[in-house]
Amino acid sequence: MSMTFRGRLLAASVCVGALSAAALAAAPAQAETLADAIALAYQNNPTLQAQRATQRALDESYVQARSGWRPTLGVSASATYTESRIPRAAAGVDSDGDGQPDTFGNSGIFETNSGRAGLSFTQPIWSGGRVAAAVNAANADVLAGRENLRRVEAQVILSVIQAYSDTRRDQEALRIRQENVNVLTRQLEESQARFDVGEVTRTDVAQSQARLSQAQALYQQAVAQLAITRAGYAALVGQNPGELAPEPSLAFILPTDPDEAFKAAEEYNPQLRAQQYAEMASRARVAGARAERMPIVSGQVTLGFDRGPVRPFDSDLYVRGTSATVTATMPLFNGGLTTSRVRAAVERNNADRITVEGVRRNVLQAATQWWSQLIAARANISSSEEQVRAARIAAEGTRQEQQVGLRTTIDVLNAEQELRQAELNQVSSRRDEYVAAANILATMGRLEAKHLIPGEPQYDAARNFRKLRITWGWVPWEEPIGVIDRLLTPFPSSAPPEPRDEAPVAPGLQPAPAVAPSASR
């Protein structure tokens, strides 16, 4: 963790600890919006940035698979030096085979050297469908990776929405706790004054003191909780939250009935689509395993230069050789290895195909769960609003009745406690409704930047892939070789289809009105 970011997290708790009623009441000229927070996280969140880098690395697997259709060019060079020492006892022996006895003088040492340089060009002609299957599998892996990137993007945005809503909830809870401390402080002062003139007993004063101490402890807990949520917000967004504007409406993108949510989830949920592409990749690998039974055809051209002894400045003395070879290799028997690999690939594909159905069921279950929680949260909002209205009337009436002797101090304290709890329930209900709505959108595959912040620059995961289609190593005859490899095989594999993306839903997140009756209705 960098010192700068550690300082920001520390500032999150220090700032909260220094909050007071006056600081809570003061607001900057322009409040920070949810769209601002999502835009910052979309551009700077480290989890999302790392997943984008992972996807770019995965794109390279497609290039690596296509290299099986591309030629290879290699150069080789060798130099040999030989020294022979013949003892004098071997004098008169014809060691060099010239028909004459050897004479050594005084040395008996022979030195020779030779050199060779060669250039080879190898072009695959037909792989029996191996490379075609590998290319289709890599293509499916890339598309599955894009869906995983969409899933991580939705998770990050969902976490930002939760952190934003939690921070607003805890800010409001802190305000309520502060107000409760202020009210109970006045109640204690009033009880003490009435005790001094003999209108109430010491019990009334003690009850007021006990409730005030409890309220102060709850206030400190609220301060700590807000510090925690602010730190979580800073970790996701990259900066501490200021005065947060109310959450904007999600009605423009939310479905009107659960059937629409189920249909969109089955078609656009990133986790489900990633698993579908994973099944396509394993299906292509089955074809690749079966293609291992087919022959391989390749051509090679070699150009070589030989000379012995080596004389660098006598180029005319070098022997040049050129050869062209077409090689066909047919596997006949490998101890059952290929058959075993085919069986293993088939079972992996079966597992992926079964997992698709499991993921589909989990997605529909999540859609049902969050839709039910959304309905319950909306009902809780209506109930909590009525509870707050009634509790406020009851608290005011109890205070007035206490003035004429119809209510005791404990009645007033209980009424105030019920009012604060009702206000807290109202704040939590609004937060729960908004988060449930965001989870529905994540399950549907709609919690994306293109829907929520269409005005911000969008990251295109396919752009890097398109750049790699023709890059270093590409040759013009690569595609014809690929067509031959795809067609002339008894074990063909099909290329995965491009995903059909949902068009951006206008108008994106808009600033909420000054008073919003509901978070997402």
Side-chain angles (χ1 to χ4, degrees):
M1 180 185 293
S2 66
M3 293 299 295
T4 302
F5 187 65
R6 186 183 293 113
R8 290 176 181 175
L9 294 181
L10 179 60
S13 57
V14 172
C15 291
V16 173
L19 285 177
S20 62
L24 285 171
Q30 184 175 3
E32 182 179 346
T33 66
L34 179 58
D36 297 334
I38 292 176
L40 284 172
Y42 185 74
Q43 299 296 334
N44 304 313
N45 183 267
T47 301
L48 188 54
Q49 294 287 340
Q51 188 64 30
R52 289 170 181 169
T54 300
Q55 180 60 30
R56 291 192 294 269
L58 184 60
D59 291 342
E60 299 292 343
S61 65
Y62 182 76
V63 179
Q64 296 164 13
R66 292 187 69 92
S67 66
W69 290 327
R70 298 173 179 176
T72 57
L73 183 65
V75 62
S76 62
S78 64
T80 304
Y81 170 80
T82 303
E83 179 186 271
S84 300
R85 293 177 178 267
I86 301 176
R88 293 182 179 276
V93 177
D94 185 10
S95 62
D96 55 4
D98 60 357
Q100 299 295 328
D102 298 332
T103 58
F104 308 111
N106 295 325
S107 63
I109 299 176
F110 289 90
E111 295 180 340
T112 61
N113 63 72
S114 64
R116 187 182 190 281
L119 185 67
S120 63
F121 177 87
T122 304
Q123 172 63 59
I125 299 175
W126 183 54
S127 71
R130 295 172 177 82
V131 177
V135 169
N136 291 335
N139 194 5
D141 287 339
V142 169
L143 294 175
R146 291 184 198 172
E147 296 303 323
N148 286 326
L149 178 58
R150 289 183 60 231
R151 176 181 56 83
V152 172
E153 177 184 331
Q155 290 175 347
V156 169
I157 293 178
L158 178 61
S159 298
V160 171
I161 291 176
Q162 289 177 335
Y164 190 96
S165 301
D166 289 348
T167 302
R168 274 186 42 81
R169 176 200 62 192
D170 293 340
Q171 285 177 344
E172 188 65 15
L174 182 60
R175 184 195 63 79
I176 293 172
R177 293 300 186 188
Q178 179 66 68
E179 178 63 22
N180 192 35
V181 170
N182 296 338
V183 170
L184 292 179
T185 299
R186 291 194 297 269
Q187 179 65 35
L188 176 59
E189 293 172 352
E190 181 181 346
S191 297
Q192 184 65 49
R194 297 181 66 187
F195 171 74
D196 292 341
V197 297
E199 292 185 6
V200 297
T201 65
R202 183 170 295 278
T203 301
D204 296 283
V205 176
Q207 289 172 340
S208 299
Q209 289 175 335
R211 288 297 176 88
L212 177 58
S213 297
Q214 181 186 30
Q216 290 171 339
L218 293 175
Y219 171 79
Q220 293 302 324
Q221 291 179 9
V223 169
Q225 182 58 44
L226 180 55
I228 293 172
T229 55
R230 283 171 58 90
Y233 180 99
L236 288 166
V237 177
Q239 67 180 31
N240 289 323
E243 182 68 19
L244 303 182
E247 294 89 339
S249 174
L250 296 175
F252 75 98
I253 198 174
L254 272 176
T256 56
D257 59 76
D259 290 337
E260 182 182 350
F262 296 150
K263 182 178 178 181
E266 284 191 284
E267 187 171 0
Y268 299 113
N269 180 272
Q271 185 179 1
L272 178 57
R273 297 206 330 190
Q275 184 57 41
Q276 290 170 343
Y277 281 121
E279 189 275 333
M280 295 178 191
S282 64
R283 193 191 317 161
R285 290 187 173 94
V286 171
R290 288 172 175 164
E292 294 293 330
R293 299 189 176 106
M294 302 301 294
I296 297 176
V297 181
S298 63
Q300 185 179 52
V301 177
T302 303
L303 176 63
F305 296 87
D306 294 272
R307 177 66 175 127
V310 176
R311 296 178 181 176
F313 301 105
D314 295 335
S315 60
D316 293 338
L317 299 178
Y318 285 86
V319 177
R320 184 179 69 179
T322 305
S323 65
T325 307
V326 176
T327 304
T329 304
M330 178 68 181
L332 296 178
F333 179 73
N334 60 0
L337 178 61
T338 299
T339 303
S340 176
R341 287 175 175 172
V342 170
R343 289 196 299 266
V346 168
E347 293 305 326
R348 280 191 288 268
N349 179 246
N350 288 336
D352 288 336
R353 178 171 46 81
I354 295 170
T355 304
V356 169
E357 179 59 26
V359 173
R360 177 181 288 107
R361 295 181 184 184
N362 291 338
V363 167
L364 296 180
Q365 177 190 10
T368 303
Q369 171 188 344
W370 290 112
W371 186 269
S372 301
Q373 291 193 17
L374 177 64
I375 299 303
R378 287 176 173 175
N380 288 340
I381 288 178
S382 300
S383 299
S384 62
E385 288 176 350
E386 180 62 24
Q387 182 184 8
V388 169
R389 186 193 64 82
R392 186 171 289 113
I393 294 175
E396 180 63 27
T398 302
R399 285 193 295 269
Q400 293 178 359
E401 291 173 0
Q402 183 198 26
Q403 300 298 326
V404 295
L406 298 178
R407 295 284 185 174
T408 62
T409 300
I410 192 63
D411 293 329
V412 174
L413 297 175
N414 288 338
E416 287 293 339
Q417 184 177 15
E418 291 176 0
L419 174 59
R420 303 309 167 197
Q421 188 59 50
E423 292 174 341
L424 292 172
N425 291 341
Q426 183 183 40
V427 172
S428 295
S429 297
R430 290 174 177 171
R431 178 265 177 197
D432 292 343
E433 181 207 15
Y434 203 83
V435 171
N439 275 280
I440 289 177
L441 295 177
T443 305
M444 295 172 60
R446 286 186 181 174
L447 202 64
E448 297 181 280
K450 68 178 183 180
H451 297 307
L452 303 178
I453 48 173
E456 295 294 326
Q458 303 294 308
Y459 180 79
D460 185 4
R463 181 180 180 183
N464 180 73
F465 183 78
R466 290 192 296 267
K467 290 193 302 183
L468 295 176
R469 182 62 181 84
I470 298 179
T471 183
W472 172 253
W474 177 86
V475 291
W477 57 87
E478 173 184 333
E479 197 58 42
I481 294 293
V483 172
I484 295 174
D485 199 37
R486 290 189 185 99
L487 297 180
L488 300 182
T489 175
F491 310 110
S493 62
S494 57
E498 287 291 327
R500 190 171 68 88
D501 294 332
E502 190 175 18
V505 181
L509 293 177
Q510 301 296 313
V515 178
S518 173
S520 57
R521 290 185 297 173

